[in-house]
């Protein structure tokens, strides 16, 4: 099954930013992903975007049967 879920960014251990990826649900988190569809940075500075989504690609993957995690579903709806 394919799923859309957030993945922690590599870098600082205290970083809260996440990249949203489309991945096979049987693979471990941080493994190879099929596609990056956005990012979320809750502590972004004023000039930096806090949330960036590729909604057409998310809709495409959902139409192909991908499941969204709860967090992704909440942020896509807002």
């Amino acid at each position: 099954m394919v799923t859309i879920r957030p993945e922690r960014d590599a870098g600082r251990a205290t970083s809260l930013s996440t990249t949203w990826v489309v991945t096979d649900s049987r693979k471990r988190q941080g493994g190879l992903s099929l596609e990056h569809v956005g990012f979320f940075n809750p502590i972004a500075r004023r000039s930096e975007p806090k949330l960036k989504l590729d909604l057409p690609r998310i809709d495409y993957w959902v139409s192909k049967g991908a499941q969204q995690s709860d967090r992704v579903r909440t942020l896509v709806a807002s």
Side-chain angles (χ1 to χ4, degrees):
M1 177 192 314
V2 176
T3 186
I4 303 171
R5 65 182 179 203
E7 183 177 87
R8 289 195 59 153
D9 287 340
R12 292 186 8 209
T14 59
S15 175
L16 298 176
S17 64
T18 57
T19 302
W20 291 8
V21 296
V22 178
T23 186
D24 187 351
S25 63
R26 297 171 291 184
K27 302 283 184 181
R28 66 177 182 85
Q29 189 170 357
L32 187 62
S33 60
L34 299 173
E35 183 178 0
H36 293 269
V37 291
F39 69 87
F40 177 63
N41 184 4
I43 55 172
R45 296 192 174 110
R46 291 183 188 184
S47 62
E48 298 174 347
K50 188 173 188 175
L51 176 67
K52 180 179 178 275
L53 301 174
D54 191 356
L55 291 175
R57 292 306 293 172
I58 291 174
D59 291 339
Y60 167 79
W61 282 106
V62 169
S63 73
K64 295 296 181 186
Q67 300 293 316
Q68 298 177 15
S69 69
D70 294 335
R71 181 70 171 159
V72 172
R73 191 176 304 113
T74 302
L75 289 174
V76 167
S78 62

